Amino acid sequence: MLHRFAIREDWQPLVDLMNRGILSFEPNYSEQTYRRWQAYAANSHQIERFSFWWLLGLLLLLAIVALAIVLVRQHLKKANNKTLQLREQLDYWKNHDEVTSLPNRRHITRLLTSWLDDATPLSVLMFDFPRQNEVFENFGQRLGEVTKEAYAKRVQKSLRKHYPEAQLAYWYHHYFVVVVPNVNKDKEVIEIRFEFY
């Protein structure tokens, strides 16, 4: 079998020499060599196809893993945010009354301890929600709670107007407490007392 190549003219003797060499091979040798070359080419092609699909599969697997990591992180972030919100809400309700939303006895006690540790002069007044039992007995639990909440808001508004530093808190049952820092004279305390009625 002669071979022709697109070559420069001065290379023609080299091609002729190569053709003579090929023609000098025994027919079986040439056929075996050709078959080996075909088998090598086929294997090489299969290896290339295998490598291509293997690489594609690996890339797909990496994409799936990356997507899974992103989704898990988002889920964990949402779960952490929800946990944080629940903790904040729990902490709020541990320190506040659920009806009036005022600081409760636990919170005001810690505040008093802090002020006393700092040697801050203060006055503490305790007073009750007037006629609470009658309101609850005559109008029921829900309306009684609404009335108590409205009363607490009215007292809070009055305190903020005249004593911005004062802290109103719900003590228990129908009792409230006011802590007024930097006020410890009897006359001033009596004036504050009149704000509640």
Side-chain angles (χ1 to χ4, degrees):
M1 169 185 316
L2 295 177
H3 293 77
R4 295 189 179 278
F5 301 94
I7 58 170
R8 290 177 2 192
E9 290 183 6
D10 57 342
W11 285 10
Q12 187 61 44
L14 182 61
V15 174
D16 291 340
L17 183 63
M18 188 180 73
N19 281 330
R20 269 186 264 155
I22 291 172
L23 288 172
S24 68
F25 292 154
E26 294 180 11
N28 290 340
Y29 178 78
S30 298
E31 190 175 334
Q32 288 174 1
T33 304
Y34 184 69
R35 284 181 183 171
R36 274 202 308 264
W37 178 82
Q38 280 185 324
Y40 173 77
N43 288 336
S44 178
H45 186 61
Q46 286 177 355
I47 289 170
E48 286 176 4
R49 278 193 301 176
F50 176 74
S51 298
F52 170 76
W53 288 112
W54 184 82
L55 181 62
L56 186 63
L58 181 62
L59 289 174
L60 185 61
L61 180 64
L62 288 174
I64 291 170
V65 169
L67 181 63
I69 289 171
V70 169
L71 291 175
V72 167
R73 281 186 177 178
Q74 286 179 348
H75 179 72
L76 288 175
K77 187 176 180 181
K78 287 179 182 177
N80 286 339
N81 288 341
K82 191 172 182 181
T83 303
L84 184 61
Q85 288 175 354
L86 289 173
R87 283 181 182 171
E88 287 175 356
Q89 190 175 8
L90 179 63
D91 188 56
Y92 179 84
W93 288 121
K94 276 176 23 182
N95 293 293
H96 292 79
D97 174 52
E98 61 183 20
V99 175
T100 62
S101 297
L102 290 173
N104 59 15
R105 183 186 342 200
R106 180 175 184 264
H107 182 74
I108 201 69
T109 301
R110 285 189 309 182
L111 191 61
L112 275 169
T113 303
S114 173
W115 277 335
L116 289 172
D117 288 344
D118 293 341
T120 303
L122 53 86
S123 294
V124 180
L125 294 88
M126 180 176 280
F127 62 97
D128 64 347
F129 171 36
R131 303 171 74 180
Q132 174 177 299
N133 291 338
E134 292 178 28
V135 172
F136 275 79
E137 287 173 10
N138 293 327
F139 300 105
Q141 179 75 20
R142 181 68 192 123
L143 192 57
E145 288 178 352
V146 170
T147 307
K148 184 163 82 170
E149 182 183 10
Y151 174 72
K153 285 181 179 177
R154 191 186 78 176
V155 173
Q156 182 82 296
K157 184 178 178 182
S158 178
L159 279 172
R160 283 181 181 165
K161 183 178 177 182
H162 300 290
Y163 304 95
E165 294 181 358
Q167 178 65 61
L168 176 64
Y170 176 73
W171 193 249
Y172 76 98
H173 192 43
H174 55 278
Y175 290 99
F176 293 85
V177 168
V178 175
V179 180
V180 190
N182 303 313
V183 173
N184 60 352
K185 294 180 180 176
D186 290 343
K187 185 179 178 182
E188 290 176 328
V189 172
I190 290 170
E191 287 176 359
I192 296 170
R193 185 76 176 87
F194 288 130
E195 295 292 332
F196 308 142
Y197 296 101

Short mmCIF file of all heavy atoms in Angstrom, two decimals, residues 83-108:
data_model
loop_
_atom_site.label_atom_id
_atom_site.label_comp_id
_atom_site.label_asym_id
_atom_site.label_seq_id
_atom_site.Cartn_x
_atom_site.Cartn_y
_atom_site.Cartn_z
N THR A 83 -33.84 29.25 67.19
CA THR A 83 -33.44 28.95 68.57
C THR A 83 -33.11 30.23 69.33
O THR A 83 -33.50 30.40 70.50
CB THR A 83 -32.21 28.02 68.57
OG1 THR A 83 -32.52 26.83 67.84
CG2 THR A 83 -31.80 27.66 69.98
N LEU A 84 -32.40 31.14 68.65
CA LEU A 84 -32.06 32.42 69.29
C LEU A 84 -33.31 33.22 69.62
O LEU A 84 -33.43 33.80 70.70
CB LEU A 84 -31.14 33.22 68.36
CG LEU A 84 -30.60 34.54 68.91
CD1 LEU A 84 -29.77 34.30 70.15
CD2 LEU A 84 -29.79 35.26 67.85
N GLN A 85 -34.26 33.25 68.68
CA GLN A 85 -35.51 33.97 68.93
C GLN A 85 -36.28 33.35 70.09
O GLN A 85 -36.83 34.07 70.93
CB GLN A 85 -36.39 33.95 67.66
CG GLN A 85 -35.87 34.83 66.55
CD GLN A 85 -36.69 34.68 65.28
OE1 GLN A 85 -37.58 33.83 65.20
NE2 GLN A 85 -36.39 35.49 64.29
N LEU A 86 -36.32 32.02 70.13
CA LEU A 86 -37.02 31.35 71.24
C LEU A 86 -36.34 31.63 72.58
O LEU A 86 -37.02 31.84 73.59
CB LEU A 86 -37.07 29.84 70.98
CG LEU A 86 -38.01 29.38 69.86
CD1 LEU A 86 -37.83 27.90 69.59
CD2 LEU A 86 -39.45 29.69 70.21
N ARG A 87 -35.00 31.66 72.55
CA ARG A 87 -34.29 31.98 73.80
C ARG A 87 -34.57 33.40 74.26
O ARG A 87 -34.77 33.66 75.45
CB ARG A 87 -32.78 31.79 73.60
CG ARG A 87 -32.34 30.35 73.63
CD ARG A 87 -30.85 30.21 73.44
NE ARG A 87 -30.43 28.82 73.43
CZ ARG A 87 -29.23 28.42 73.12
NH1 ARG A 87 -28.30 29.30 72.78
NH2 ARG A 87 -28.92 27.14 73.13
N GLU A 88 -34.56 34.33 73.30
CA GLU A 88 -34.85 35.72 73.63
C GLU A 88 -36.28 35.86 74.17
O GLU A 88 -36.52 36.58 75.13
CB GLU A 88 -34.66 36.61 72.40
CG GLU A 88 -33.21 36.81 72.01
CD GLU A 88 -33.04 37.58 70.72
OE1 GLU A 88 -34.08 37.89 70.08
OE2 GLU A 88 -31.90 37.89 70.35
N GLN A 89 -37.21 35.15 73.52
CA GLN A 89 -38.61 35.21 73.97
C GLN A 89 -38.75 34.59 75.36
O GLN A 89 -39.44 35.14 76.23
CB GLN A 89 -39.50 34.46 72.97
CG GLN A 89 -40.97 34.66 73.22
CD GLN A 89 -41.81 34.00 72.14
OE1 GLN A 89 -41.30 33.28 71.30
NE2 GLN A 89 -43.10 34.25 72.17
N LEU A 90 -38.07 33.45 75.58
CA LEU A 90 -38.11 32.82 76.90
C LEU A 90 -37.50 33.72 77.96
O LEU A 90 -38.06 33.86 79.05
CB LEU A 90 -37.37 31.48 76.84
CG LEU A 90 -37.30 30.68 78.14
CD1 LEU A 90 -38.70 30.28 78.59
CD2 LEU A 90 -36.42 29.46 77.97
N ASP A 91 -36.37 34.34 77.62
CA ASP A 91 -35.72 35.25 78.56
C ASP A 91 -36.63 36.44 78.87
O ASP A 91 -36.70 36.89 80.01
CB ASP A 91 -34.39 35.73 77.98
CG ASP A 91 -33.59 36.52 78.99
OD1 ASP A 91 -33.31 35.99 80.07
OD2 ASP A 91 -33.25 37.69 78.69
N TYR A 92 -37.33 36.93 77.83
CA TYR A 92 -38.24 38.06 78.04
C TYR A 92 -39.35 37.66 79.01
O TYR A 92 -39.65 38.39 79.96
CB TYR A 92 -38.82 38.51 76.70
CG TYR A 92 -39.80 39.65 76.83
CD1 TYR A 92 -39.34 40.97 76.89
CD2 TYR A 92 -41.17 39.42 76.90
CE1 TYR A 92 -40.23 42.02 77.03
CE2 TYR A 92 -42.06 40.46 77.03
CZ TYR A 92 -41.60 41.76 77.09
OH TYR A 92 -42.48 42.80 77.23
N TRP A 93 -39.97 36.50 78.77
CA TRP A 93 -41.10 36.11 79.62
C TRP A 93 -40.65 35.65 81.01
O TRP A 93 -41.45 35.66 81.95
CB TRP A 93 -41.92 35.02 78.94
CG TRP A 93 -42.70 35.57 77.78
CD1 TRP A 93 -42.62 35.19 76.49
CD2 TRP A 93 -43.65 36.64 77.83
NE1 TRP A 93 -43.45 35.95 75.71
CE2 TRP A 93 -44.11 36.85 76.50
CE3 TRP A 93 -44.16 37.46 78.84
CZ2 TRP A 93 -45.04 37.82 76.17
CZ3 TRP A 93 -45.10 38.42 78.51
CH2 TRP A 93 -45.53 38.60 77.20
N LYS A 94 -39.38 35.28 81.16
CA LYS A 94 -38.87 34.98 82.50
C LYS A 94 -38.73 36.26 83.31
O LYS A 94 -38.72 36.22 84.54
CB LYS A 94 -37.51 34.29 82.40
CG LYS A 94 -37.63 32.80 82.17
CD LYS A 94 -36.33 32.06 81.96
CE LYS A 94 -35.10 32.66 82.47
NZ LYS A 94 -33.88 31.87 82.16
N ASN A 95 -38.59 37.39 82.64
CA ASN A 95 -38.34 38.66 83.32
C ASN A 95 -39.48 39.66 83.21
O ASN A 95 -39.35 40.79 83.65
CB ASN A 95 -37.06 39.30 82.77
CG ASN A 95 -35.84 38.50 83.12
OD1 ASN A 95 -35.46 38.40 84.27
ND2 ASN A 95 -35.23 37.89 82.12
N HIS A 96 -40.61 39.27 82.58
CA HIS A 96 -41.73 40.19 82.40
C HIS A 96 -43.06 39.49 82.69
O HIS A 96 -43.19 38.28 82.50
CB HIS A 96 -41.75 40.75 80.98
CG HIS A 96 -40.61 41.66 80.69
ND1 HIS A 96 -39.35 41.18 80.38
CD2 HIS A 96 -40.52 43.02 80.68
CE1 HIS A 96 -38.53 42.21 80.18
NE2 HIS A 96 -39.20 43.33 80.36
N ASP A 97 -44.01 40.29 83.12
CA ASP A 97 -45.36 39.78 83.37
C ASP A 97 -46.08 39.62 82.04
O ASP A 97 -46.02 40.48 81.17
CB ASP A 97 -46.12 40.77 84.27
CG ASP A 97 -47.56 40.37 84.44
OD1 ASP A 97 -47.82 39.22 84.81
OD2 ASP A 97 -48.44 41.22 84.17
N GLU A 98 -46.78 38.50 81.87
CA GLU A 98 -47.42 38.22 80.58
C GLU A 98 -48.65 39.08 80.32
O GLU A 98 -49.02 39.27 79.16
CB GLU A 98 -47.79 36.74 80.49
CG GLU A 98 -48.77 36.28 81.54
CD GLU A 98 -49.06 34.78 81.45
OE1 GLU A 98 -48.27 34.05 80.86
OE2 GLU A 98 -50.10 34.37 81.99
N VAL A 99 -49.28 39.63 81.34
CA VAL A 99 -50.47 40.45 81.14
C VAL A 99 -50.10 41.90 80.87
O VAL A 99 -50.54 42.51 79.89
CB VAL A 99 -51.42 40.36 82.36
CG1 VAL A 99 -52.60 41.31 82.20
CG2 VAL A 99 -51.91 38.93 82.53
N THR A 100 -49.27 42.47 81.74
CA THR A 100 -48.95 43.90 81.64
C THR A 100 -47.67 44.17 80.84
O THR A 100 -47.41 45.31 80.47
CB THR A 100 -48.76 44.50 83.05
OG1 THR A 100 -47.66 43.83 83.68
CG2 THR A 100 -50.02 44.33 83.87
N SER A 101 -46.86 43.13 80.59
CA SER A 101 -45.55 43.25 79.92
C SER A 101 -44.56 44.08 80.74
O SER A 101 -43.53 44.51 80.21
CB SER A 101 -45.69 43.84 78.52
OG SER A 101 -46.46 42.99 77.71
N LEU A 102 -44.86 44.30 81.99
CA LEU A 102 -43.94 45.03 82.88
C LEU A 102 -42.86 44.06 83.40
O LEU A 102 -43.07 42.85 83.45
CB LEU A 102 -44.70 45.61 84.07
CG LEU A 102 -45.65 46.76 83.78
CD1 LEU A 102 -46.44 47.10 85.05
CD2 LEU A 102 -44.90 47.98 83.28
N PRO A 103 -41.71 44.60 83.81
CA PRO A 103 -40.72 43.75 84.47
C PRO A 103 -41.36 43.07 85.68
O PRO A 103 -42.16 43.68 86.39
CB PRO A 103 -39.64 44.73 84.90
CG PRO A 103 -39.78 45.89 83.97
CD PRO A 103 -41.24 45.99 83.66
N ASN A 104 -41.01 41.82 85.91
CA ASN A 104 -41.60 41.09 87.04
C ASN A 104 -40.71 41.18 88.29
O ASN A 104 -39.71 41.88 88.30
CB ASN A 104 -41.88 39.63 86.64
CG ASN A 104 -40.61 38.90 86.23
OD1 ASN A 104 -39.50 39.36 86.47
ND2 ASN A 104 -40.79 37.76 85.59
N ARG A 105 -41.11 40.44 89.31
CA ARG A 105 -40.40 40.51 90.58
C ARG A 105 -38.94 40.08 90.43
O ARG A 105 -38.05 40.70 91.01
CB ARG A 105 -41.09 39.59 91.60
CG ARG A 105 -40.44 39.69 92.95
CD ARG A 105 -40.94 38.71 94.00
NE ARG A 105 -42.21 38.11 93.75
CZ ARG A 105 -42.96 37.55 94.70
NH1 ARG A 105 -42.57 37.56 95.94
NH2 ARG A 105 -44.10 36.98 94.41
N ARG A 106 -38.69 39.06 89.63
CA ARG A 106 -37.32 38.58 89.40
C ARG A 106 -36.43 39.69 88.82
O ARG A 106 -35.32 39.93 89.28
CB ARG A 106 -37.38 37.38 88.45
CG ARG A 106 -36.06 36.76 88.11
CD ARG A 106 -36.32 35.51 87.25
NE ARG A 106 -35.10 34.80 86.96
CZ ARG A 106 -34.39 34.94 85.85
NH1 ARG A 106 -34.80 35.77 84.91
NH2 ARG A 106 -33.28 34.26 85.67
N HIS A 107 -36.98 40.38 87.81
CA HIS A 107 -36.20 41.41 87.13
C HIS A 107 -35.98 42.62 88.03
O HIS A 107 -34.86 43.16 88.11
CB HIS A 107 -36.94 41.83 85.85
CG HIS A 107 -36.21 42.85 85.05
ND1 HIS A 107 -35.09 42.54 84.29
CD2 HIS A 107 -36.40 44.18 84.89
CE1 HIS A 107 -34.66 43.63 83.68
NE2 HIS A 107 -35.43 44.65 84.04
N ILE A 108 -37.02 43.07 88.70
CA ILE A 108 -36.89 44.27 89.53
C ILE A 108 -36.00 44.00 90.74
O ILE A 108 -35.28 44.89 91.22
CB ILE A 108 -38.28 44.81 89.97
CG1 ILE A 108 -38.18 46.29 90.38
CG2 ILE A 108 -38.88 43.99 91.08
CD1 ILE A 108 -37.90 47.22 89.24
#
